[in-house]
Every structure is written in structure tokens, then in C-alpha cells.
Amino acid sequence: MNKPLADRIRPKTLDDIVGQKHLIAPEKPLRKIIDSGDIPNLIFYGPSGVGKTTLATYIARKTNRTLKKLNGTTASTADIKEIVSQLNTFSGVNGILLYLDEIQYFNKKQQQTLLEYIENGSITLIASTTENPYFYVYNAILSRSTVFEFKPVTPDEVERAVYRACDFLAEESGIDIEMSEECAKKIATGCGGDVRKAMNAVELSVIATDEIDGKKVVRLETVEQLVQKSAVRYDREGDEHYDIISAYQKSMRGSDPDAALHYLARLLEAGDLPSACRRLMVCACEDVGLAYPQLLPIVKSCVDMAQAVGLPEARIPLADAVVMVCNAPKSNSAYMGINRALADIHTGNSGPVPRQLQNKHCDGEDNPNKGQFYLYPHDFPNHYVEQQYLPDALKDKKYYEYGKNKNEQAFKAYWDKIKGK
């Protein structure tokens, strides 16, 4: 069985690698490290198909060390021990370069097995991961490695790879292959920054195109049928999930309806209706809050409708609610207030409930000051009477501060008048 095109066409030079110019452009630190030939332990972090394996393979070709490859999804401790056993043999005389793909699937014990040999330089580790290494890689390995983050490849860069793939396939097959600019752009934009997916789409499009007089002309309808629905990267368990929902809420908080709708669309396209609804309700409470409290039941109603009708129609009430949240005045006064109160609770800064607020119960004979002494506010003018509600240790504490919005300032003016301030 032939290797996938992405493996057959791996770049031979750094300049052939598409994307990652922030890492491998001339004068960039990683480029200089690679050119020096003195390779430290490296961790490549980023989404799939953006050049991590390609760059690691290129680095391996520039070193005189024996190259060994492991994949964290299938490798075992025995595989590591097998590599270690070669260190004192002829094949490992110059040391071993270990490329460990998907290191996040190695457990702590497996990673610790490598530690001694990484530390003394017997093994040079180049590891790749699609997950945040600061969460999944053992700290001792992290401290002995340099982390470089890879980014999704831009459509313009992917398009360059598409044309290169067509030329490669034409040379490989001896058949003239014509790929229009429209087709190339469709593949480049439809792969979601994943060059491997783009290469697969190119190869499948060429295979699915009939040869006429020694030539294949790839048509747009063929490409459209074969390009995977992957323009939006999303992994409910990975960093992309948290990045997108974070951007979604921050866009609503920042009153940018265009950005908020964009991230809502990405969530819905990925089928993640629960996250879209949950963050919308959180934002309405946290970021709009008391500036426009009437919005809270409106947002809840929109979420209920979205969950009742399901996708794709759920996009309509959710879009209504998102735009309303963006355009609503903002206040986080209640949110900040509860955070301040919780901070006191977490640090043990509390105390007994004041006597007048306690549930009624019988006083013992040893209590010289019997009685509840609670003042019922409705028995007083304007339904207000001054009395202590916080515990003695916190009696002068202020958690809530009125927001500057019209709504809360109206509340403040009312209570300042009632309380005689």
C-alpha cells in the first residue's frame, strides 16, 4: 500500500515547509538552532497537520545521531527500554535522537523512564503534542526542554502546498494534472489550516478525476465533494474548545456582535450547542447583570427555545440572544461582589451569625440577655430599618459596589435617600 501523499511529499529543506514562519523564517531562534546542528530537547505543540512531524523529520536528517520514532498512542515502556539498550552499541555510538509523537499519551511513569537519559544527553528528545504540554508533559521533562508552539497554516500558505502536491503527483504518475485557482483555494480554505488534510484532498481529487488524452483536469464539483468539512478546528477535549468558548464570551463582554456571532457559528458548526448555551447564560449574568437585569429571563427563554428545537434552527434564538447581550449595557458589580464574599469565606474570614438573624430558639438560663431582637423591616417606614446583618468580624465589610450604569445608579439614589445618606 502506498504511503499517503503527505508522507511522500515531505519537504527536503526548511524553505519548502509551509507555515510556521514565526519559528523557521531566517533569523528566527528555532531556525538558528536547527542550522547550528546542536539540537536540544524540543517539544512541538500545536494542532494536527501543521508541520510538527515534518520539521522533526527534517531535523533528524541534519543530525548524525540514530533516529528512533515512537508514537505515544501505541508505544510501551518496553519500547523505551529497547531504545535505551542500544545506547552502548555501535548504532547508538553518537547518541540517539528520539522522535516521540503524541507525548501526551505517555503516562508519568513512561515519561520518567526517559528522564535519566534525556538529562545526561544520551537521548535527544523531540516530542510533539496536540495538547497543551504544560498540562500533559511531566514537569521534569518540560524543564529540560524548549517548547515551540505551532500555528494553523494560513490558506495562502496551504495553497502553495496544493500546487506543489499537484506537480509532485504529475511527476510521479507521468500524467499532466491541471488544478484551477478556484479548486486550489477551495482545498486551501476547507482544510482548516491542516496541510495533511489538504494533501489528502488533492490526492483524492486527482484520483477521482478521469484521464483524458494523458491529462487530468480537476473540477470544482469534484473538490467540493471530497474536501472534508474541517474549516473550523474544534476538539471538545482540547485547547481549541476552551479558546473558542473563551473568545465567544469575551466578544460578548466586549460588545462586539460580529465577533460573538462568528464564535457562536464555530460552536454550532461543531455541534456544541451545550457550550454555546451555557456561556451565553453565564455572560448575561456576569457581564450584563444589574445594568439590564430584564435581559436575564430573555436569554434563558432563548436558550430554552434553542434546546427545544435543536440544531440547525437553534442558531436563530441564540443569535438573537447573543446580539442582545452584546448591545446591552454592562455591569459586573454583582459578580465582583460574590467573588469578594467567597474570598473571605475561603480564607476563613467569617464568624457566627448575629443573634438577631438566627433562627428562633430557646435561650438557656445562663443567657442574661434573652430574646431575638430582630427588627422586622416591614414594620418601619419605607420598609427599612438599620440593623447589623454581617457577622461581628465583618460588620463594616463592603462587597457590593454600585455600577456606574443608569439602572444601578437609580437603585443607589433610592437607597441613599431612604438611608439618609
Side-chain angles (χ1 to χ4, degrees):
M1 183 176 180
N2 289 334
K3 290 182 178 180
L5 176 60
D7 290 331
R8 306 200 309 269
I9 201 176
R10 289 202 188 279
K12 300 294 191 296
T13 71
L14 284 178
D15 293 329
D16 288 337
I17 297 176
V18 296
Q20 314 314 324
K21 300 309 179 189
H22 65 293
L23 299 178
I24 59 173
E27 303 304 316
K28 295 296 183 181
L30 182 56
R31 175 69 171 257
K32 291 184 176 181
I33 291 171
I34 295 171
D35 288 341
S36 74
D38 187 12
I39 309 300
N41 298 308
L42 302 171
I43 296 178
F44 294 162
Y45 157 49
S48 301
V50 296
K52 300 189 300 297
T53 301
T54 295
L55 186 56
T57 303
Y58 172 81
I59 292 173
R61 287 201 302 266
K62 287 185 65 70
T63 178
N64 291 325
R65 297 187 178 188
T66 302
L67 174 65
K68 298 293 182 181
K69 294 183 179 181
L70 292 178
N71 189 294
T73 60
T74 57
S76 65
T77 303
D79 295 317
I80 300 173
K81 290 180 178 179
E82 171 62 26
I83 291 173
V84 169
S85 70
Q86 300 178 34
L87 286 172
N88 296 320
T89 66
F90 180 77
S91 63
V93 66
N94 292 322
I96 289 175
L97 180 81
L98 171 62
Y99 176 57
L100 177 54
D101 196 13
E102 304 289 2
I103 190 176
Q104 72 269 19
Y105 291 107
F106 257 31
N107 60 38
K108 185 175 180 179
K109 182 178 180 181
Q110 289 173 309
Q111 293 185 40
Q112 286 176 321
T113 304
L114 288 170
L115 188 58
E116 175 186 349
Y117 304 98
I118 292 172
E119 192 166 28
N120 64 25
S122 302
I123 292 177
T124 298
L125 175 69
I126 301 180
S128 69
T129 175
T130 55
E131 304 292 347
N132 191 325
Y134 297 101
F135 296 149
Y136 290 92
V137 179
Y138 183 44
N139 283 337
I141 288 182
L142 272 177
S143 68
R144 292 162 176 80
S145 307
T146 303
V147 178
F148 290 97
E149 183 175 1
F150 284 57
K151 306 288 187 181
V153 182
T154 64
D156 287 345
E157 286 285 314
V158 176
E159 192 173 341
R160 184 161 69 89
V162 168
Y163 287 124
R164 179 168 172 263
C166 287
D167 293 340
F168 179 88
L169 289 173
E171 183 178 350
E172 187 179 59
S173 64
I175 299 172
D176 187 18
I177 297 173
E178 182 179 314
M179 173 81 69
S180 69
E181 181 179 351
E182 191 176 22
C183 290
K185 286 187 180 298
K186 179 65 178 178
I187 293 173
T189 57
C191 70
D194 186 328
V195 180
R196 186 183 296 113
K197 285 184 179 179
M199 296 299 95
N200 290 341
V202 170
E203 186 166 32
L204 290 174
S205 296
V206 170
I207 291 172
T209 299
D210 293 330
E211 178 187 344
I212 301 177
D213 298 329
K215 183 176 183 179
K216 288 189 175 188
V217 180
V218 180
R219 302 192 179 280
L220 182 61
E221 53 265 34
T222 302
V223 170
E224 289 177 335
Q225 292 176 19
L226 294 173
V227 170
Q228 298 182 42
K229 186 180 178 182
S230 58
V232 176
R233 287 182 174 273
Y234 197 76
D235 177 358
R236 292 195 192 188
E237 301 299 325
D239 290 342
E240 287 290 331
H241 166 75
Y242 297 104
D243 287 345
I244 290 173
I245 60 177
S246 175
Y248 173 52
Q249 182 168 351
K250 287 172 182 172
S251 298
M252 288 187 283
R253 179 186 298 145
S255 304
D256 188 330
D258 298 310
L261 288 172
H262 168 80
Y263 293 114
L264 172 64
R266 291 174 71 164
L267 288 168
L268 298 183
E269 186 68 9
D272 195 356
L273 182 59
S275 291
C277 292
R278 178 179 177 274
R279 281 300 178 113
L280 174 58
M281 291 189 290
V282 168
C283 190
C285 296
E286 177 182 340
D287 300 306
V288 175
L290 299 179
Y292 183 27
Q294 301 92 325
L295 183 64
L296 305 187
I298 296 174
V299 167
K300 180 59 167 62
S301 178
C302 288
V303 166
D304 288 344
M305 283 189 283
Q307 293 174 334
V309 301
L311 290 170
E313 288 82 2
R315 74 190 188 282
I316 303 169
L318 290 183
D320 289 338
V322 163
V323 172
M324 281 190 287
V325 168
C326 287
N327 287 324
K330 303 297 190 294
S331 172
N332 69 342
S333 58
Y335 168 76
M336 295 303 294
I338 187 61
N339 286 350
R340 294 183 189 112
L342 284 170
D344 272 345
I345 300 303
H346 294 159
T347 57
N349 192 11
S350 184
V353 174
R355 171 66 174 155
Q356 64 271 21
L357 302 186
Q358 293 175 9
N359 190 33
K360 290 182 179 180
H361 60 271
C362 180
D363 287 312
E365 289 299 324
D366 59 340
N367 186 352
N369 191 23
K370 296 180 175 60
Q372 186 75 16
F373 311 114
Y374 173 59
L375 303 178
Y376 188 55
H378 297 297
D379 289 339
F380 296 85
N382 299 311
H383 306 273
Y384 172 77
V385 62
E386 185 174 355
Q387 63 184 323
Q388 181 183 326
Y389 290 94
L390 280 168
D392 290 341
L394 300 170
K395 65 179 182 178
D396 296 321
K397 192 82 172 186
K398 296 294 182 186
Y399 294 119
Y400 171 70
E401 296 179 4
Y402 288 98
K404 301 299 184 183
N405 57 84
K406 181 179 178 181
N407 202 47
E408 287 180 86
Q409 286 300 304
F411 291 157
K412 183 178 185 300
Y414 173 79
W415 283 110
D416 283 350
K417 181 179 179 181
I418 297 298
K419 295 178 182 181
K421 294 185 179 179

